[in-house]
């Protein structure tokens, strides 16, 4: 089973426009959709769509719109009541795939609620193959919360602990470095911020530079880095080597959740025992398939084409 923790889930509304977004003007949408969201929720949705056993952990009352939507969409989940409404996010997509997002901050959790969420995560990690710590933290949660979860889970299960992946940003992502997660999943901007190497757009345009940045994170104890690079694909760096994967050109409809789908594809491939290069192929194929779908829709395994993803070997960590 793959377990995800989403401390700051949301109700994600996606609005599609017929033309470019014009600030300060009235525009009519061609389509709108609404789904429960948050990175961990998106990952569980993508995995279960492909027949993988997965469970999303999150805060939220049973009657909250997000939790009710999870039940209506049959997304496996377990929520902890917090007595406050969860947030809503809005994404506006243009015909060329350009996406503008407005994310609310989310509710503030008490120390007791935070402790309960950590305890629940440790309990449910028993026997899991992967634990994914995903998304932003709501207001008031210490930046080292994900690092604390990693330490608590490994302290409870030792060598039997699940592999742990982190997909976050900013200070929570930086704080995770000291806990040495098994996998980090930054995008170009997050990779640049973490390493101080270049800028997000520059890393997305240059897989070799992105590889050098990812290799730097390996020296901090991270065991693998899956860096998604938008239309340029993704880079996977491990102690045994580094690879760049790129999909054939697609017509992007919405990039919302493409990174989450890429991570889902990677995790799915690891469960099959695929080689690192094949795991990267599945990750890129999942991300490309997600970007070609409207709104926050996620692809099934059958909708992906990993064989079309071109993988090239990059400089290994010791040579960077």
């Amino acid at each position: 089973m793959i377990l995800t923790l989403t401390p700051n889930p949301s109700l994600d509304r996606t609005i599609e426009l017929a033309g470019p977004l014009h600030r300060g003007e009235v525009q009519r949408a061609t389509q709108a959709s609404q789904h429960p969201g948050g990175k961990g929720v998106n990952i569980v949705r993508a995995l279960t769509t492909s027949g993988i056993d997965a469970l999303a952990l999150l805060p939220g009352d049973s009657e909250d719109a997000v939790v009710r939507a999870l039940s209506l969409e049959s997304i496996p989940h377990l929520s902890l009541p917090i007595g406050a409404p969860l947030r809503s996010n809005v994404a506006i997509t243009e015909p060329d795939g350009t996406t503008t997002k407005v994310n609310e901050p989310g509710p503030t959790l008490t120390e007791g609620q935070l402790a309960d969420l950590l305890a629940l995560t440790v309990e449910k990690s028993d026997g899991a193959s992967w634990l994914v710590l995903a998304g932003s933290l709501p207001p008031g949660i210490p930046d080292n919360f994900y690092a604390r979860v990693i330490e608590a889970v490994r302290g409870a299960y030792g060598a039997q602990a699940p592999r742990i992946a982190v997909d976050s940003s900013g200070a929570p992502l930086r704080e995770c470095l000291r806990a040495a997660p098994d996998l980090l999943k930054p995008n170009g901007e997050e990779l640049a911020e973490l390493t101080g190497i270049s800028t997000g757009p520059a890393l997305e345009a240059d897989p070799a530079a992105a590889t050098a940045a990812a290799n730097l994170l390996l020296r901090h104890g991270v065991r693998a880095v899956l860096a998604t690079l938008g239309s340029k694909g993704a880079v996977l760096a491990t102690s045994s080597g580094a690879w760049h994967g790129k999909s054939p050109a697609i017509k992007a409809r919405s990039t919302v959740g493409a990174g989450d789908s890429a991570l889902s594809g990677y995790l799915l491939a690891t469960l099959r025992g695929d080689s690192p290069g094949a795991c990267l192929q599945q990750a890129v194929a999942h991300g490309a398939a997600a970007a070609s779908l409207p709104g926050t829709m996620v692809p099934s395994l059958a909708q992906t084409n990993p064989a079309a993803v071109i993988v090239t070997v990059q400089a290994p960590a010791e040579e960077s």
Side-chain angles (χ1 to χ4, degrees), residues 19-83:
L21 174 66
H22 299 294
R23 293 180 61 195
E25 297 186 14
V26 175
Q27 293 178 255
R28 296 191 181 278
T30 59
Q31 186 173 326
S33 59
Q34 183 171 282
H35 296 281
K39 287 182 176 296
V41 169
N42 293 338
I43 290 167
V44 168
R45 186 194 299 136
L47 290 170
T48 55
T49 296
S50 296
I52 302 299
D53 186 20
L55 177 68
L57 304 181
L58 65 152
D61 299 342
S62 60
E63 292 304 309
D64 189 275
V66 174
V67 179
R68 291 177 64 186
L70 288 168
S71 297
L72 288 172
E73 295 191 21
S74 300
I75 298 173
H77 66 280
L78 186 58
S79 62
L80 280 177
I82 58 172

Side-chain angles (χ1 to χ4, degrees), residues 62 65 100 104 131 139 185 187 189 197 262-263 269 284 301 316:
S62 60
T100 303
E104 295 181 5
L131 166 63
K185 207 297 294 172
N187 58 26
E189 181 180 349
I197 295 178
L263 178 53
V284 173
L301 184 60

Side-chain angles (χ1 to χ4, degrees), residues 103-163:
N103 293 348
E104 295 181 5
T108 300
L109 303 185
T110 67
E111 289 186 9
Q113 291 166 344
L114 192 60
D116 289 343
L117 194 59
L118 191 154
L120 179 65
T121 304
V122 172
E123 176 190 345
K124 294 301 178 180
S125 293
D126 188 10
S129 300
W130 281 94
L131 166 63
V132 184
L133 309 178
S136 64
L137 298 179
I141 290 188
D143 292 335
N144 67 352
F145 178 66
Y146 283 150
R148 288 168 52 192
V149 173
I150 294 171
E151 292 166 352
V153 170
R154 288 178 175 165
Y157 300 110
Q160 302 305 312
R163 287 175 285 178

